Each structure stands twice: as C-alpha cells, then as structure tokens.
C-alpha cells in the first residue's frame, strides 16, 4: 500500500468514528423507560416499563431525600431472589414473582399525597431507569 491509500483509510476511520459518536446511540448507556399511573378503579399505583426486563432491583425513595442524601431511606426496596424476575409492569408495594424485600422484615411504607418520589429500577448491572412521580 502506498502512503495515499493509508492516509485515505485513516481519514475514513476517523470520519466513521465521529459519525458513530455523534449520530448513533451505540456509545450511550441504555436506560429503562418508566411510565406510571394511578388506577381510577382501585387506586393502585402502577409502573409500566418500555419492554420486559429481568429486574434485579426496584426501589422507591423520596426525591428530596435522594437529592441531599447519597443513601436515601427506601420506602419500598425489593431485589431479585435468585434468577431475575422478567416483567414489564408492577404495582407499588405488591410482590413481584422472583423478588423479595432487600431487608427481610421490611414492608412497603404508605406514600403521602403531595410528596415527590422516585422509582429506581435496575436490570443487571448495566441497565437502569428512574422516574419521578407524586400521588394525589
């Protein structure tokens, strides 16, 4: 190969790298998308994920406490019990098959109207999603 060919291959590689970095999401960490709603019939707080994930952790904390405290008090925290639970929807405080409370004696605490909360969902060590919400 002559110098011109090597130079052109190098330019093509630099342009391809710039394109991948600026115009694709290959290099950005994936996030779990979460939507929530309160059922008018039952009053249950439901969370919906953009697709089914093998959940390893679900945690609900006060948004204000999470801003000021690195380790906020969890109102509800469950973790996978063995193989991760695969689901796309769950209700606050309701048992998810394949998951157990992070602290064996813990029970979900009631949510207070007008308070902002955050739900943090993890699937393995690389996928994470977070959504703020409040109940009325």
């Amino acid at each position: 190969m002559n110098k011109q060919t090597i130079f052109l291959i190098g330019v093509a590689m630099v342009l391809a790298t710039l394109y991948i970095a600026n115009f694709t999401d290959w290099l950005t960490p994936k996030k779990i998308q979460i939507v929530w709603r309160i059922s008018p019939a039952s009053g249950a707080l439901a969370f919906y994920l953009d697709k089914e994930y093998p959940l390893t952790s679900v945690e609900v904390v006060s948004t204000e406490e999470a801003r000021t405290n690195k380790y906020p008090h969890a109102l509800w925290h469950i973790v996978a019990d063995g193989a991760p639970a695969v689901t796309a929807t769950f209700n606050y405080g309701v048992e998810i098959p394949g998951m157990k409370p992070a602290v064996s004696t813990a029970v979900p605490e009631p949510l207070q109207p007008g308070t902002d909360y955050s739900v943090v969902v993890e699937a393995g060590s690389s996928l994470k999603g977070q959504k703020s919400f409040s109940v009325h």
Side-chain angles (χ1 to χ4, degrees), residues 94-105:
V94 177
E95 183 180 323
I96 300 173
M99 300 189 84
K100 64 178 182 176
V103 176
S104 62
T105 58

Side-chain angles (χ1 to χ4, degrees), residues 17-121:
T17 302
L18 288 172
Y19 178 82
I20 289 169
N22 291 313
F23 299 109
T24 69
D25 62 356
W26 290 355
L27 303 177
T28 58
K30 306 293 184 237
K31 292 184 181 178
I32 299 173
Q33 301 297 315
I34 307 168
V35 177
W36 65 276
R37 78 178 193 109
I38 298 175
S39 171
S42 66
L45 174 61
F47 296 98
Y48 303 92
L49 310 179
D50 57 330
K51 64 179 186 176
E52 288 192 338
Y53 290 97
L55 298 181
T56 54
S57 175
V58 176
E59 183 175 21
V60 174
V61 297
S62 164
T63 303
E64 184 62 33
E65 190 176 342
R67 273 191 218 117
T68 60
N69 188 349
K70 185 175 181 180
Y71 301 104
H73 168 71
L75 300 163
W76 183 48
H77 187 196
I78 56 176
V79 294
D81 184 19
V86 178
T87 189
T89 183
F90 57 91
N91 290 347
Y92 175 78
V94 177
E95 183 180 323
I96 300 173
M99 300 189 84
K100 64 178 182 176
V103 176
S104 62
T105 58
V107 294
E109 295 181 24
L111 301 176
Q112 303 300 319
T115 304
D116 292 329
Y117 298 100
S118 295
V119 61
V120 180
V121 178

